[in-house]
mmCIF file of all heavy atoms in Angstrom:
data_model
loop_
_atom_site.group_PDB
_atom_site.id
_atom_site.type_symbol
_atom_site.label_atom_id
_atom_site.label_comp_id
_atom_site.label_asym_id
_atom_site.label_seq_id
_atom_site.Cartn_x
_atom_site.Cartn_y
_atom_site.Cartn_z
ATOM 1 N N ASN R 53 63.975 -33.434 70.152
ATOM 2 C CA ASN R 53 64.303 -31.983 70.657
ATOM 3 C C ASN R 53 63.983 -31.767 72.032
ATOM 4 O O ASN R 53 64.687 -31.389 72.889
ATOM 5 C CB ASN R 53 63.492 -31.047 69.822
ATOM 6 C CG ASN R 53 64.271 -30.697 68.582
ATOM 7 O OD1 ASN R 53 65.362 -31.145 68.432
ATOM 8 N ND2 ASN R 53 63.545 -30.037 67.582
ATOM 9 N N VAL R 54 62.644 -32.426 72.384
ATOM 10 C CA VAL R 54 62.157 -32.300 73.780
ATOM 11 C C VAL R 54 63.245 -32.962 74.745
ATOM 12 O O VAL R 54 63.725 -32.423 75.753
ATOM 13 C CB VAL R 54 60.819 -32.838 73.842
ATOM 14 C CG1 VAL R 54 60.467 -32.943 75.422
ATOM 15 C CG2 VAL R 54 59.810 -32.010 73.228
ATOM 16 N N ASN R 55 63.608 -34.211 74.383
ATOM 17 C CA ASN R 55 64.663 -34.911 75.227
ATOM 18 C C ASN R 55 65.894 -34.221 75.414
ATOM 19 O O ASN R 55 66.391 -34.161 76.467
ATOM 20 C CB ASN R 55 64.720 -36.412 74.589
ATOM 21 C CG ASN R 55 63.566 -37.247 74.783
ATOM 22 O OD1 ASN R 55 62.666 -37.059 75.693
ATOM 23 N ND2 ASN R 55 63.541 -38.262 74.053
ATOM 24 N N ARG R 56 66.321 -33.624 74.298
ATOM 25 C CA ARG R 56 67.559 -32.764 74.347
ATOM 26 C C ARG R 56 67.477 -31.721 75.361
ATOM 27 O O ARG R 56 68.311 -31.557 76.243
ATOM 28 C CB ARG R 56 67.908 -32.228 73.014
ATOM 29 C CG ARG R 56 69.267 -32.927 72.539
ATOM 30 C CD ARG R 56 69.924 -32.339 71.279
ATOM 31 N NE ARG R 56 69.340 -31.127 70.859
ATOM 32 C CZ ARG R 56 69.157 -30.782 69.676
ATOM 33 N NH1 ARG R 56 69.537 -31.666 68.640
ATOM 34 N NH2 ARG R 56 68.691 -29.692 69.291
ATOM 35 N N GLN R 57 66.236 -30.966 75.257
ATOM 36 C CA GLN R 57 66.003 -29.815 76.129
ATOM 37 C C GLN R 57 65.985 -30.324 77.591
ATOM 38 O O GLN R 57 66.532 -29.702 78.491
ATOM 39 C CB GLN R 57 64.834 -29.081 75.866
ATOM 40 C CG GLN R 57 64.972 -28.227 74.519
ATOM 41 C CD GLN R 57 63.787 -27.478 74.135
ATOM 42 O OE1 GLN R 57 62.730 -27.803 74.706
ATOM 43 N NE2 GLN R 57 63.926 -26.551 73.135
ATOM 44 N N LEU R 58 65.248 -31.397 77.812
ATOM 45 C CA LEU R 58 65.031 -31.877 79.147
ATOM 46 C C LEU R 58 66.430 -32.382 79.798
ATOM 47 O O LEU R 58 66.745 -31.980 80.935
ATOM 48 C CB LEU R 58 64.144 -33.145 79.248
ATOM 49 C CG LEU R 58 62.677 -32.910 78.953
ATOM 50 C CD1 LEU R 58 61.856 -34.222 78.974
ATOM 51 C CD2 LEU R 58 62.145 -31.889 79.913
ATOM 52 N N GLY R 59 67.250 -32.948 78.915
ATOM 53 C CA GLY R 59 68.616 -33.287 79.369
ATOM 54 C C GLY R 59 69.374 -32.078 79.816
ATOM 55 O O GLY R 59 70.120 -32.102 80.823
ATOM 56 N N TYR R 60 69.254 -31.037 79.014
ATOM 57 C CA TYR R 60 69.880 -29.812 79.311
ATOM 58 C C TYR R 60 69.451 -29.112 80.564
ATOM 59 O O TYR R 60 70.235 -28.807 81.474
ATOM 60 C CB TYR R 60 69.734 -28.878 77.991
ATOM 61 C CG TYR R 60 70.471 -27.474 78.272
ATOM 62 C CD1 TYR R 60 71.777 -27.371 78.096
ATOM 63 C CD2 TYR R 60 69.598 -26.387 78.265
ATOM 64 C CE1 TYR R 60 72.473 -26.192 78.304
ATOM 65 C CE2 TYR R 60 70.301 -25.162 78.494
ATOM 66 C CZ TYR R 60 71.578 -24.976 78.474
ATOM 67 O OH TYR R 60 72.216 -23.852 78.598
ATOM 68 N N PHE R 61 68.150 -28.943 80.790
ATOM 69 C CA PHE R 61 67.635 -28.347 82.005
ATOM 70 C C PHE R 61 67.710 -29.103 83.192
ATOM 71 O O PHE R 61 67.654 -28.658 84.249
ATOM 72 C CB PHE R 61 66.172 -27.984 81.724
ATOM 73 C CG PHE R 61 66.009 -26.741 80.887
ATOM 74 C CD1 PHE R 61 65.437 -26.840 79.593
ATOM 75 C CD2 PHE R 61 66.323 -25.514 81.394
ATOM 76 C CE1 PHE R 61 65.354 -25.727 78.764
ATOM 77 C CE2 PHE R 61 66.183 -24.363 80.465
ATOM 78 C CZ PHE R 61 65.721 -24.417 79.252
ATOM 79 N N ASN R 62 67.927 -30.550 82.973
ATOM 80 C CA ASN R 62 68.084 -31.354 84.225
ATOM 81 C C ASN R 62 69.155 -30.812 84.977
ATOM 82 O O ASN R 62 69.268 -31.053 86.217
ATOM 83 C CB ASN R 62 68.297 -32.803 83.628
ATOM 84 C CG ASN R 62 68.050 -33.820 84.698
ATOM 85 O OD1 ASN R 62 67.643 -33.430 85.717
ATOM 86 N ND2 ASN R 62 68.513 -35.072 84.504
ATOM 87 N N ASN R 63 70.270 -30.294 84.370
ATOM 88 C CA ASN R 63 71.353 -29.889 85.132
ATOM 89 C C ASN R 63 71.225 -28.526 86.004
ATOM 90 O O ASN R 63 71.873 -28.227 86.938
ATOM 91 C CB ASN R 63 72.548 -29.631 84.104
ATOM 92 C CG ASN R 63 72.978 -30.761 83.393
ATOM 93 O OD1 ASN R 63 72.929 -31.783 83.831
ATOM 94 N ND2 ASN R 63 73.303 -30.646 82.016
ATOM 95 N N PHE R 64 70.164 -27.820 85.536
ATOM 96 C CA PHE R 64 69.932 -26.470 86.237
ATOM 97 C C PHE R 64 68.701 -26.439 87.174
ATOM 98 O O PHE R 64 68.809 -25.774 88.194
ATOM 99 C CB PHE R 64 69.646 -25.307 85.156
ATOM 100 C CG PHE R 64 70.831 -25.264 84.256
ATOM 101 C CD1 PHE R 64 70.598 -25.629 82.890
ATOM 102 C CD2 PHE R 64 71.948 -24.619 84.610
ATOM 103 C CE1 PHE R 64 71.622 -25.553 82.043
ATOM 104 C CE2 PHE R 64 72.969 -24.558 83.653
ATOM 105 C CZ PHE R 64 72.826 -24.860 82.373
ATOM 106 N N LEU R 65 67.758 -27.265 86.867
ATOM 107 C CA LEU R 65 66.575 -27.161 87.615
ATOM 108 C C LEU R 65 66.542 -28.157 88.751
ATOM 109 O O LEU R 65 67.028 -29.241 88.577
ATOM 110 C CB LEU R 65 65.249 -27.339 86.789
ATOM 111 C CG LEU R 65 65.196 -26.362 85.615
ATOM 112 C CD1 LEU R 65 64.024 -26.811 84.663
ATOM 113 C CD2 LEU R 65 64.861 -24.995 86.208
ATOM 114 N N GLY R 66 65.851 -27.735 89.890
ATOM 115 C CA GLY R 66 65.598 -28.730 91.036
ATOM 116 C C GLY R 66 64.626 -29.708 90.579
ATOM 117 O O GLY R 66 64.078 -29.644 89.637
ATOM 118 N N PRO R 67 64.434 -30.892 91.285
ATOM 119 C CA PRO R 67 63.640 -31.960 90.981
ATOM 120 C C PRO R 67 62.186 -31.527 90.718
ATOM 121 O O PRO R 67 61.467 -32.070 89.675
ATOM 122 C CB PRO R 67 63.702 -32.949 92.116
ATOM 123 C CG PRO R 67 64.796 -32.407 92.946
ATOM 124 C CD PRO R 67 65.150 -31.101 92.637
ATOM 125 N N ASN R 68 61.568 -30.663 91.523
ATOM 126 C CA ASN R 68 60.158 -30.173 91.408
ATOM 127 C C ASN R 68 60.020 -29.418 90.163
ATOM 128 O O ASN R 68 59.112 -29.673 89.366
ATOM 129 C CB ASN R 68 59.664 -29.278 92.565
ATOM 130 C CG ASN R 68 59.511 -30.270 93.749
ATOM 131 O OD1 ASN R 68 59.450 -31.466 93.680
ATOM 132 N ND2 ASN R 68 59.464 -29.682 94.976
ATOM 133 N N ASP R 69 60.920 -28.397 90.015
ATOM 134 C CA ASP R 69 60.808 -27.627 88.790
ATOM 135 C C ASP R 69 60.966 -28.450 87.520
ATOM 136 O O ASP R 69 60.238 -28.224 86.526
ATOM 137 C CB ASP R 69 61.839 -26.573 88.733
ATOM 138 C CG ASP R 69 61.492 -25.353 89.848
ATOM 139 O OD1 ASP R 69 60.442 -25.408 90.191
ATOM 140 O OD2 ASP R 69 62.406 -24.593 90.091
ATOM 141 N N PHE R 70 61.902 -29.410 87.571
ATOM 142 C CA PHE R 70 62.240 -30.247 86.523
ATOM 143 C C PHE R 70 61.028 -31.088 86.121
ATOM 144 O O PHE R 70 60.672 -31.281 84.857
ATOM 145 C CB PHE R 70 63.358 -31.167 86.740
ATOM 146 C CG PHE R 70 63.718 -31.905 85.579
ATOM 147 C CD1 PHE R 70 64.306 -31.355 84.374
ATOM 148 C CD2 PHE R 70 63.590 -33.203 85.501
ATOM 149 C CE1 PHE R 70 64.695 -32.121 83.412
ATOM 150 C CE2 PHE R 70 63.884 -34.060 84.397
ATOM 151 C CZ PHE R 70 64.439 -33.463 83.224
ATOM 152 N N ASN R 71 60.267 -31.582 87.200
ATOM 153 C CA ASN R 71 59.073 -32.248 86.896
ATOM 154 C C ASN R 71 58.075 -31.516 86.201
ATOM 155 O O ASN R 71 57.397 -31.886 85.252
ATOM 156 C CB ASN R 71 58.438 -32.856 88.178
ATOM 157 C CG ASN R 71 59.014 -34.294 88.436
ATOM 158 O OD1 ASN R 71 59.543 -34.821 87.607
ATOM 159 N ND2 ASN R 71 58.779 -34.758 89.609
ATOM 160 N N ALA R 72 57.825 -30.230 86.713
ATOM 161 C CA ALA R 72 56.892 -29.270 86.232
ATOM 162 C C ALA R 72 57.155 -29.005 84.742
ATOM 163 O O ALA R 72 56.325 -29.003 83.734
ATOM 164 C CB ALA R 72 56.777 -28.097 86.943
ATOM 165 N N TYR R 73 58.498 -28.801 84.485
ATOM 166 C CA TYR R 73 58.958 -28.471 83.179
ATOM 167 C C TYR R 73 58.677 -29.668 82.256
ATOM 168 O O TYR R 73 58.244 -29.555 81.033
ATOM 169 C CB TYR R 73 60.399 -28.081 83.176
ATOM 170 C CG TYR R 73 60.980 -27.570 81.872
ATOM 171 C CD1 TYR R 73 60.679 -26.540 81.217
ATOM 172 C CD2 TYR R 73 61.888 -28.545 81.148
ATOM 173 C CE1 TYR R 73 60.976 -26.184 80.025
ATOM 174 C CE2 TYR R 73 62.352 -28.240 79.901
ATOM 175 C CZ TYR R 73 61.982 -27.096 79.339
ATOM 176 O OH TYR R 73 62.501 -26.796 78.150
ATOM 177 N N THR R 74 59.076 -30.932 82.717
ATOM 178 C CA THR R 74 58.935 -32.161 81.901
ATOM 179 C C THR R 74 57.513 -32.136 81.492
ATOM 180 O O THR R 74 57.194 -32.503 80.347
ATOM 181 C CB THR R 74 59.264 -33.312 82.635
ATOM 182 O OG1 THR R 74 60.642 -33.130 83.140
ATOM 183 C CG2 THR R 74 59.200 -34.490 81.837
ATOM 184 N N GLN R 75 56.455 -31.985 82.434
ATOM 185 C CA GLN R 75 55.169 -32.131 82.129
ATOM 186 C C GLN R 75 54.687 -31.077 81.053
ATOM 187 O O GLN R 75 53.878 -31.437 80.149
ATOM 188 C CB GLN R 75 54.168 -31.957 83.401
ATOM 189 C CG GLN R 75 54.010 -33.168 84.138
ATOM 190 C CD GLN R 75 53.498 -33.049 85.639
ATOM 191 O OE1 GLN R 75 53.005 -31.930 85.807
ATOM 192 N NE2 GLN R 75 53.663 -34.057 86.351
ATOM 193 N N MET R 76 55.150 -29.982 81.157
ATOM 194 C CA MET R 76 54.839 -28.922 80.320
ATOM 195 C C MET R 76 55.290 -29.199 78.857
ATOM 196 O O MET R 76 54.611 -29.052 77.953
ATOM 197 C CB MET R 76 55.520 -27.508 80.764
ATOM 198 C CG MET R 76 54.969 -26.324 79.846
ATOM 199 S SD MET R 76 56.048 -25.034 80.075
ATOM 200 C CE MET R 76 57.371 -25.286 79.109
ATOM 201 N N ARG R 77 56.526 -29.619 78.729
ATOM 202 C CA ARG R 77 57.142 -29.984 77.472
ATOM 203 C C ARG R 77 56.458 -31.243 76.802
ATOM 204 O O ARG R 77 56.190 -31.287 75.592
ATOM 205 C CB ARG R 77 58.622 -30.245 77.638
ATOM 206 C CG ARG R 77 59.520 -29.292 77.961
ATOM 207 C CD ARG R 77 59.478 -28.132 76.960
ATOM 208 N NE ARG R 77 60.181 -28.484 75.674
ATOM 209 C CZ ARG R 77 59.702 -28.012 74.486
ATOM 210 N NH1 ARG R 77 58.668 -27.295 74.404
ATOM 211 N NH2 ARG R 77 60.296 -28.330 73.399
ATOM 212 N N GLN R 78 55.961 -32.098 77.753
ATOM 213 C CA GLN R 78 55.234 -33.353 77.257
ATOM 214 C C GLN R 78 53.914 -32.920 76.540
ATOM 215 O O GLN R 78 53.455 -33.315 75.602
ATOM 216 C CB GLN R 78 55.000 -34.280 78.365
ATOM 217 C CG GLN R 78 54.537 -35.696 77.940
ATOM 218 C CD GLN R 78 55.528 -36.325 76.939
ATOM 219 O OE1 GLN R 78 56.656 -36.383 77.074
ATOM 220 N NE2 GLN R 78 54.972 -36.834 75.868
ATOM 221 N N ARG R 79 53.283 -31.935 77.333
ATOM 222 C CA ARG R 79 51.990 -31.440 76.808
ATOM 223 C C ARG R 79 52.108 -30.655 75.550
ATOM 224 O O ARG R 79 51.403 -30.985 74.473
ATOM 225 C CB ARG R 79 51.321 -30.408 77.898
ATOM 226 C CG ARG R 79 50.382 -31.089 78.843
ATOM 227 C CD ARG R 79 49.427 -29.984 79.357
ATOM 228 N NE ARG R 79 50.128 -28.774 79.907
ATOM 229 C CZ ARG R 79 50.707 -28.813 81.060
ATOM 230 N NH1 ARG R 79 50.761 -29.766 81.960
ATOM 231 N NH2 ARG R 79 51.333 -27.553 81.532
ATOM 232 N N GLN R 80 53.171 -29.948 75.475
ATOM 233 C CA GLN R 80 53.470 -29.203 74.208
ATOM 234 C C GLN R 80 53.894 -30.225 73.001
ATOM 235 O O GLN R 80 53.402 -30.122 71.969
ATOM 236 C CB GLN R 80 54.838 -28.196 74.424
ATOM 237 C CG GLN R 80 54.433 -26.899 74.804
ATOM 238 C CD GLN R 80 55.612 -26.117 74.993
ATOM 239 O OE1 GLN R 80 56.848 -26.505 75.055
ATOM 240 N NE2 GLN R 80 55.344 -24.698 75.320
ATOM 241 N N LEU R 81 54.673 -31.291 73.450
ATOM 242 C CA LEU R 81 54.869 -32.235 72.544
ATOM 243 C C LEU R 81 53.661 -32.945 71.901
ATOM 244 O O LEU R 81 53.480 -33.141 70.734
ATOM 245 C CB LEU R 81 55.805 -33.317 73.027
ATOM 246 C CG LEU R 81 56.291 -34.388 72.033
ATOM 247 C CD1 LEU R 81 57.049 -33.772 70.953
ATOM 248 C CD2 LEU R 81 57.010 -35.486 72.817
ATOM 249 N N ASP R 82 52.711 -33.216 72.838
ATOM 250 C CA ASP R 82 51.444 -33.899 72.359
ATOM 251 C C ASP R 82 50.646 -32.957 71.609
ATOM 252 O O ASP R 82 50.016 -33.455 70.625
ATOM 253 C CB ASP R 82 50.588 -34.260 73.613
ATOM 254 C CG ASP R 82 51.268 -35.341 74.449
ATOM 255 O OD1 ASP R 82 52.090 -36.148 73.955
ATOM 256 O OD2 ASP R 82 50.809 -35.657 75.743
ATOM 257 N N GLU R 83 50.644 -31.651 71.990
ATOM 258 C CA GLU R 83 49.956 -30.766 71.192
ATOM 259 C C GLU R 83 50.500 -30.608 69.691
ATOM 260 O O GLU R 83 49.905 -30.587 68.730
ATOM 261 C CB GLU R 83 50.072 -29.350 71.844
ATOM 262 C CG GLU R 83 48.792 -28.492 71.790
ATOM 263 C CD GLU R 83 49.025 -27.290 72.718
ATOM 264 O OE1 GLU R 83 49.472 -26.237 72.278
ATOM 265 O OE2 GLU R 83 48.588 -27.413 73.954
ATOM 266 N N ASP R 84 51.832 -30.437 69.760
ATOM 267 C CA ASP R 84 52.528 -30.310 68.391
ATOM 268 C C ASP R 84 52.150 -31.620 67.404
ATOM 269 O O ASP R 84 51.896 -31.454 66.284
ATOM 270 C CB ASP R 84 54.059 -30.239 68.503
ATOM 271 C CG ASP R 84 54.318 -28.854 69.088
ATOM 272 O OD1 ASP R 84 53.452 -27.856 69.113
ATOM 273 O OD2 ASP R 84 55.470 -28.637 69.489
ATOM 274 N N THR R 85 52.496 -32.742 68.160
ATOM 275 C CA THR R 85 52.107 -33.949 67.216
ATOM 276 C C THR R 85 50.685 -33.956 66.927
ATOM 277 O O THR R 85 50.322 -34.454 65.748
ATOM 278 C CB THR R 85 52.555 -35.209 67.915
ATOM 279 O OG1 THR R 85 52.063 -35.091 69.267
ATOM 280 C CG2 THR R 85 54.035 -35.555 67.915
ATOM 281 N N GLY R 86 49.679 -33.575 67.704
ATOM 282 C CA GLY R 86 48.295 -33.505 67.335
ATOM 283 C C GLY R 86 48.044 -32.563 66.251
ATOM 284 O O GLY R 86 47.383 -32.945 65.210
ATOM 285 N N ASN R 87 48.789 -31.390 66.333
ATOM 286 C CA ASN R 87 48.609 -30.461 65.172
ATOM 287 C C ASN R 87 49.125 -30.854 63.896
ATOM 288 O O ASN R 87 48.592 -30.863 62.821
ATOM 289 C CB ASN R 87 49.531 -29.176 65.532
ATOM 290 C CG ASN R 87 48.719 -28.287 66.529
ATOM 291 O OD1 ASN R 87 47.553 -28.645 66.803
ATOM 292 N ND2 ASN R 87 49.380 -27.419 67.199
ATOM 293 N N LEU R 88 50.248 -31.587 63.922
ATOM 294 C CA LEU R 88 50.892 -32.285 62.810
ATOM 295 C C LEU R 88 49.825 -33.335 62.154
ATOM 296 O O LEU R 88 49.667 -33.345 61.058
ATOM 297 C CB LEU R 88 52.188 -33.053 63.293
ATOM 298 C CG LEU R 88 52.890 -33.753 61.945
ATOM 299 C CD1 LEU R 88 53.428 -32.561 61.086
ATOM 300 C CD2 LEU R 88 54.124 -34.371 62.580
ATOM 301 N N ARG R 89 49.360 -34.186 63.028
ATOM 302 C CA ARG R 89 48.412 -35.197 62.692
ATOM 303 C C ARG R 89 47.141 -34.463 61.926
ATOM 304 O O ARG R 89 46.789 -34.854 60.797
ATOM 305 C CB ARG R 89 47.838 -35.974 63.724
ATOM 306 C CG ARG R 89 48.320 -37.377 63.670
ATOM 307 C CD ARG R 89 47.620 -38.281 64.638
ATOM 308 N NE ARG R 89 47.171 -37.711 65.884
ATOM 309 C CZ ARG R 89 47.812 -37.829 67.018
ATOM 310 N NH1 ARG R 89 48.916 -38.555 67.129
ATOM 311 N NH2 ARG R 89 47.395 -37.309 68.157
ATOM 312 N N ALA R 90 46.662 -33.472 62.521
ATOM 313 C CA ALA R 90 45.499 -32.694 61.918
ATOM 314 C C ALA R 90 45.826 -32.124 60.549
ATOM 315 O O ALA R 90 45.070 -32.244 59.602
ATOM 316 C CB ALA R 90 44.976 -31.623 63.008
ATOM 317 N N SER R 91 47.147 -31.521 60.463
ATOM 318 C CA SER R 91 47.468 -30.909 59.154
ATOM 319 C C SER R 91 47.520 -32.108 58.092
ATOM 320 O O SER R 91 47.124 -31.803 56.922
ATOM 321 C CB SER R 91 48.821 -30.289 59.384
ATOM 322 O OG SER R 91 48.841 -29.302 60.483
ATOM 323 N N LEU R 92 48.157 -33.131 58.498
ATOM 324 C CA LEU R 92 48.257 -34.196 57.557
ATOM 325 C C LEU R 92 46.946 -34.801 57.158
ATOM 326 O O LEU R 92 46.731 -35.161 55.951
ATOM 327 C CB LEU R 92 49.214 -35.395 58.183
ATOM 328 C CG LEU R 92 50.564 -34.922 58.149
ATOM 329 C CD1 LEU R 92 51.456 -36.051 58.752
ATOM 330 C CD2 LEU R 92 51.174 -34.661 56.815
ATOM 331 N N VAL R 93 45.972 -34.871 58.064
ATOM 332 C CA VAL R 93 44.733 -35.438 57.738
ATOM 333 C C VAL R 93 43.991 -34.315 56.816
ATOM 334 O O VAL R 93 43.571 -34.786 55.619
ATOM 335 C CB VAL R 93 43.806 -35.481 59.004
ATOM 336 C CG1 VAL R 93 42.335 -35.715 58.557
ATOM 337 C CG2 VAL R 93 44.340 -36.721 59.854
ATOM 338 N N PHE R 94 44.133 -33.108 57.030
ATOM 339 C CA PHE R 94 43.600 -32.085 56.222
ATOM 340 C C PHE R 94 44.168 -32.036 54.838
ATOM 341 O O PHE R 94 43.427 -32.050 53.884
ATOM 342 C CB PHE R 94 43.849 -30.669 56.895
ATOM 343 C CG PHE R 94 43.282 -29.561 56.131
ATOM 344 C CD1 PHE R 94 41.892 -29.392 55.931
ATOM 345 C CD2 PHE R 94 44.155 -28.644 55.443
ATOM 346 C CE1 PHE R 94 41.378 -28.289 55.091
ATOM 347 C CE2 PHE R 94 43.637 -27.582 54.677
ATOM 348 C CZ PHE R 94 42.379 -27.412 54.467
#
Side-chain angles (χ1 to χ4, degrees):
N53 278 346
V54 169
N55 287 339
R56 244 191 12 219
Q57 282 180 351
L58 288 179
Y60 178 71
F61 283 108
N62 197 11
N63 300 325
F64 302 105
L65 301 172
N68 284 346
D69 287 346
F70 184 69
N71 266 350
Y73 181 70
T74 309
Q75 277 168 13
M76 187 197 80
R77 290 304 284 141
Q78 192 55 50
R79 264 201 313 278
Q80 272 179 351
L81 182 64
D82 291 347
E83 220 170 85
D84 287 348
T85 41
N87 284 343
L88 181 65
R89 245 193 328 260
S91 302
L92 287 174
V93 168
F94 179 69

